[in-house]
């Protein structure tokens, strides 16, 4: 007789290659063994985190906007990094071309007499410029790493949104539970209990206790949710202010670096021109 899907699922939580676990699995029965792994609560928590956003009745607009913003922020930074990587490849190629210039000028100087020194000097400047590419790319990589940190921050923002969605889902479920208890009590008092459940012998006092407990649970969950919202929004506001400051600094320094490298290129070709005019 084949073991059902439950036995297969239990393999994720039990080491059935281990003899004691295997004996326990056979002796106690697969159902009891599976339930002892607490797989139901684990699965429920994972499913809740994945689908809470789609079941919320009253989602907080600010967190919805934040989730969309985090996705767009990550996408924009990713695109920016792709462009920078392509440009870095181009810069590397340009510097290698300068190294080729240097090699050709130096080889040419070997067969000349009057032009030998100017050609050799020109080749030297080209070689120097070509060799600076490693330092340039390392410096650029530092700015890229700083931008990558904000991709991680964007993921953190989404994590905050998912946490809020789970807490809001718990709050709404507690709210529904309280409402259902109140409705059941009213039906009991009116003697019109629904046919889907039996209220035979149930006292109104029992419902009152359940309503008090449900109300207490709702207040507790509501306070925790509101506390999380207040703290999260303060942290997010601080993050946004810091983000503007950091990105301004990153982009400004990157622009300064590019200007500096362009000036080096101009200086190299100016020196090369001076050498060539001496021929």
């Amino acid at each position: 007789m084949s073991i059902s899907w439950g036995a297969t699922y239990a393999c994720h939580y039990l080491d059935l290659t281990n003899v004691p676990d295997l004996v326990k699995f056979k002796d106690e029965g697969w159902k009891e063994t599976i339930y002892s792994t607490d797989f139901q609560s684990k699965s429920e928590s994972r499913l809740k985190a994945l689908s809470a956003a789609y079941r919320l009745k009253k989602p907080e607009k600010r967190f919805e906007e934040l989730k969309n913003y985090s996705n767009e922020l990550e996408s924009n930074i990713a695109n920016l990094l792709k462009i920078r990587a392509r440009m870095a490849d181009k810069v590397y190629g340009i510097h290698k071309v300068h190294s080729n210039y240097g090699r050709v000028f130096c080889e040419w100087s070997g067969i000349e007499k009057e032009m030998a020194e100017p050609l050799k000097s020109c080749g030297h400047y080209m070689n120097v410029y070509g060799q600076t590419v490693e330092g340039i790319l390392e410096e650029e990589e530092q700015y890229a790493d700083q931008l990558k940190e904000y991709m991680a921050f964007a993921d953190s923002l989404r994590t905050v949104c998912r946490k809020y969605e789970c807490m809001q889902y718990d709050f709404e479920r507690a709210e529904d539970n309280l409402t259902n208890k109140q409705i059941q009590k009213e039906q009991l008092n009116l003697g019109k209990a629904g046919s889907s459940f039996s209220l035979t012998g149930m006292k109104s006092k029992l419902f009152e206790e359940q309503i008090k407990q449900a109300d207490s649970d709702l207040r507790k969950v509501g306070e925790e949710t509101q506390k999380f919202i207040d703290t999260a929004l303060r942290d997010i506001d601080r993050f946004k202010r810091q983000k503007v400051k950091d990105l301004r600094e990153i982009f400004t320094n990157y622009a300064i670096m590019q200007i500096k490298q362009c000036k080096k290129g101009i200086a190299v070709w100016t020196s090369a021109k001076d050498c060539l005019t001496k021929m």
Side-chain angles (χ1 to χ4, degrees):
M1 180 178 179
S2 62
I3 299 176
S4 69
W5 67 269
T8 304
Y9 198 96
C11 293
H12 292 287
Y13 298 97
L14 290 173
D15 181 10
L16 296 185
T17 61
N18 182 280
V19 174
D21 277 350
L22 183 58
V23 172
K24 180 181 178 183
F25 186 78
K26 291 180 178 179
D27 291 345
E28 295 185 2
W30 65 266
K31 285 187 178 180
E32 291 76 9
T33 307
I34 291 171
Y35 289 135
S36 68
T37 64
D38 196 28
F39 80 95
Q40 287 178 309
S41 62
K42 294 176 182 178
S43 301
E44 183 180 353
S45 64
R46 291 175 183 174
L47 290 172
K48 184 176 73 172
L50 290 172
S51 60
Y54 301 102
R55 293 183 288 176
L56 292 181
K57 298 177 182 178
K58 303 174 185 177
E60 171 65 55
K61 183 179 179 181
R62 288 172 293 184
F63 283 94
E64 291 294 310
E65 293 174 348
L66 180 64
K67 185 164 60 174
N68 293 332
Y69 170 77
S70 64
N71 291 333
E72 293 176 1
L73 176 64
E74 184 178 45
S75 176
N76 287 329
I77 292 177
N79 290 333
L80 196 63
L81 289 172
K82 289 178 183 178
I83 294 171
R84 189 213 66 84
R86 289 199 297 268
M87 191 171 75
D89 290 338
K90 299 291 185 181
V91 170
Y92 182 82
I94 290 172
H95 280 74
K96 288 306 176 183
V97 168
H98 280 74
S99 295
N100 290 335
Y101 274 137
R103 177 179 55 80
V104 171
F105 280 131
C106 289
E107 290 176 355
W108 192 358
S109 68
I111 62 173
E112 298 290 348
K113 292 183 179 180
E114 295 180 358
M115 296 192 305
E117 190 61 32
L119 288 173
K120 186 176 181 180
S121 297
C122 183
H124 167 73
Y125 286 117
M126 295 296 167
N127 283 327
V128 169
Y129 187 68
Q131 293 170 0
T132 61
V133 66
E134 300 296 337
I136 293 172
L137 295 182
E138 287 180 4
E139 190 174 357
E140 281 201 5
E141 195 62 32
Q142 294 178 3
Y143 297 113
D145 289 340
Q146 293 174 4
L147 287 176
K148 289 175 184 176
E149 290 181 4
Y150 269 91
M151 290 184 69
F153 290 154
D155 187 60
S156 297
L157 290 177
R158 283 195 297 273
T159 301
V160 171
C161 293
R162 287 194 294 268
K163 174 67 174 176
Y164 156 74
E165 288 166 354
C166 290
M167 296 186 73
Q168 179 65 19
Y169 172 72
D170 289 339
F171 174 77
E172 291 181 0
R173 190 164 61 174
E175 196 173 40
D176 290 341
N177 181 51
L178 175 60
T179 301
N180 291 334
K181 295 297 181 184
Q182 291 172 336
I183 292 174
Q184 290 174 17
K185 181 185 176 184
E186 291 176 1
Q187 289 177 335
L188 177 65
N189 292 336
L190 295 174
K192 297 180 180 180
S195 59
S196 60
F197 53 87
S198 175
L199 296 175
T200 304
M202 186 172 292
K203 303 295 184 180
S204 178
K205 184 178 179 181
L206 177 61
F207 268 123
E208 290 178 0
E209 292 176 356
Q210 292 179 347
I211 289 173
K212 288 181 181 179
Q213 183 61 46
D215 183 64
S216 176
D217 293 341
L218 178 62
R219 291 175 183 274
K220 181 180 179 181
V221 175
E223 289 174 359
E224 292 176 351
T225 302
Q226 189 58 49
K227 182 179 179 181
F228 174 81
I229 290 174
D230 294 340
T231 302
L233 291 178
R234 282 198 302 270
D235 291 342
I236 290 166
D237 183 63
R238 185 165 57 250
F239 157 78
K240 288 183 176 180
R241 292 197 303 270
Q242 186 65 36
K243 176 204 64 179
V244 173
K245 178 182 177 182
D246 290 346
L247 292 180
R248 183 194 302 120
E249 183 177 350
I250 292 171
F251 292 141
T252 301
N253 290 337
Y254 184 74
I256 292 172
M257 185 206 71
Q258 293 293 341
I259 293 171
K260 182 175 65 175
Q261 297 306 324
C262 290
K263 287 182 177 179
K264 285 183 179 179
I266 293 172
V268 165
W269 279 102
T270 300
S271 299
K273 183 195 71 172
D274 294 340
C275 293
L276 296 174
T277 55
K278 295 177 182 178
M279 289 194 303

